[in-house]
Amino acid sequence: RMTRYAVFLRGVNVGGVNLKMADVAETFRQAGFEDVKTLLASGNVVVSSSAKAATVRTKAEAALRESFGYDAWVLVYPMAELQTISTDYPFVREVEDHHSYITFVSDPEVLDELAALDPVGDEVITRGHGVLYWQVARGDTLGSAISKTMGKKRYKSSTTTRNLRTVEKVLAAE
């Protein structure tokens, strides 16, 4: 039976890795995924597959590496799980002059490290199931505890961050 998945590409269209989403969609179709949709230019793809999430991740990373020649990392979530992650967002979803984020983390040790960070200014951080929820004043994102830490190379393969609004757009695209 087919499962609908959200596939979040890490580090796309920042830092010199520039991909056209139409090319990404074609790469996913050629890799055997069905009902492929891309959203926004920041590497959000929705696919259908009969495979488990771990297999979707491996297959997607291999296809991206082969097609585009970069060190591709993705995080994959069944849409039902993504809906729960979004629903569980613990802070007020929309706060004026603030960004609401979800950092998706596939490595439990990395999640432990990130959850232990001390927030900067009026930044708030709370651990969720496999994710870190955080909110930060607009303009303070790059100076935030999460952002400074996430830039480190060792987090590349296991983390990616999305604005809560982006997550809601991905869910709506199902």
Side-chain angles (χ1 to χ4, degrees), residues 25-34 59-60 62-64:
E26 184 55 31
T27 293
F28 274 70
R29 282 187 206 96
Q30 288 176 0
F33 296 109
E34 297 181 26
K59 198 168 161 183
L64 290 166

Side-chain angles (χ1 to χ4, degrees), residues 151-169:
K152 294 178 183 170
K153 193 173 185 174
R154 63 196 254 358
Y155 295 107
K156 266 189 176 177
S157 65
S158 62
T159 64
T160 192
T161 298
R162 293 297 184 272
N163 189 294
L164 182 58
R165 288 186 185 143
T166 299
V167 171
E168 290 169 349
K169 286 177 184 162

Side-chain angles (χ1 to χ4, degrees), residues 4 71 151:
R4 216 52 189 137
D71 198 14

Side-chain angles (χ1 to χ4, degrees), residues 78-169:
M79 293 298 261
E81 184 178 342
L82 186 63
Q83 180 63 64
T84 300
I85 288 168
S86 175
T87 300
D88 289 350
Y89 192 80
F91 311 120
V92 175
R93 295 174 85 81
E94 295 285 336
V95 176
E96 192 174 337
D97 297 324
H98 282 71
H99 292 294
S100 298
Y101 293 114
I102 301 173
T103 295
F104 296 89
V105 186
S106 61
D107 179 331
E109 285 182 26
V110 169
L111 183 57
D112 289 344
E113 284 178 44
L114 293 173
L117 291 173
D118 289 323
V120 175
D122 70 351
E123 177 184 27
V124 289
I125 300 170
T126 296
R127 182 189 190 127
H129 181 71
V131 298
L132 202 66
Y133 298 109
W134 56 293
Q135 197 166 63
V136 63
R138 209 166 290 212
D140 289 349
T141 301
L142 294 179
S144 70
I146 298 291
S147 186
K148 283 181 181 174
T149 302
M150 294 275 295
K152 294 178 183 170
K153 193 173 185 174
R154 63 196 254 358
Y155 295 107
K156 266 189 176 177
S157 65
S158 62
T159 64
T160 192
T161 298
R162 293 297 184 272
N163 189 294
L164 182 58
R165 288 186 185 143
T166 299
V167 171
E168 290 169 349
K169 286 177 184 162

